[in-house]
Amino acid sequence: MAVCLNKKDLVAAANLYAFSRVYGLVDAKRVTDRSAHQAIMVLQMDAIGNLSSEELNSFSQVMKATLLTGSDSLNGLCKKIRIVGAPHYYPAYMAQHGMGAFMGGQSSVDQSVDVTKAFTELLTQTLHCNPE
């Protein structure tokens, strides 16, 4: 996302923001250390932290247009995210961010979470993708 923002490719940055939001929220359902869930916001803030207020405003406007419920751009993005599918990786970026990891423990991943179900629900609830 940060690379796209630096290149002024705001549509691609908006798409990556939405993609990372869905994946991050799925990961938050899996990582048991609640303090680790802040990793999503930290990564997003890191990506936009160097933008001027004018650039941030432009990005916000592009995000609103790109992610507008029912728009062709959102429908296309939803289709692409569904093609990639639900995450099947260990969310180390999040698990290592939590207090459990800093205190010498390990953040665990709840293996009972139905990742595919969470992914599908979050596409509908967060991005407002049409249900399949």
Side-chain angles (χ1 to χ4, degrees):
M1 187 171 103
V3 170
C4 294
L5 289 169
N6 289 335
K7 291 180 178 181
K8 309 295 187 228
D9 189 349
L10 302 183
V11 172
N15 287 336
L16 289 171
Y17 172 88
F19 199 100
S20 66
R21 179 95 177 126
V22 170
Y23 271 66
L25 291 172
V26 171
D27 292 341
K29 288 186 175 285
R30 301 188 299 154
V31 174
T32 58
D33 182 350
R34 293 180 59 110
S35 67
H37 299 173
Q38 295 178 17
I40 302 166
M41 184 175 56
V42 169
L43 290 170
Q44 290 170 340
M45 293 303 295
D46 186 50
I48 64 171
N50 292 327
L51 297 180
S52 68
S53 59
E54 183 178 303
E55 291 169 323
L56 189 57
N57 185 49
S58 294
F59 180 51
S60 177
Q61 294 302 317
V62 169
M63 280 194 24
K64 286 178 187 176
T66 303
L67 304 177
L68 182 66
T69 301
S71 67
D72 289 342
S73 58
L74 178 61
N75 292 337
L77 176 60
C78 292
K79 183 177 180 179
K80 289 176 185 175
I81 294 173
R82 283 188 173 110
I83 288 170
V84 173
H88 296 288
Y89 54 81
Y90 177 76
Y93 76 95
M94 185 176 287
Q96 294 170 352
H97 181 80
M99 289 305 296
F102 286 112
M103 303 298 277
Q106 262 188 338
S107 285
S108 63
V109 173
D110 183 349
Q111 298 297 328
S112 70
V113 173
D114 184 337
V115 175
T116 302
K117 180 180 177 186
F119 174 75
T120 301
E121 288 174 352
L122 286 164
L123 278 173
T124 304
Q125 295 169 0
T126 303
L127 283 185
H128 306 291
C129 295
N130 293 326
E132 286 194 312

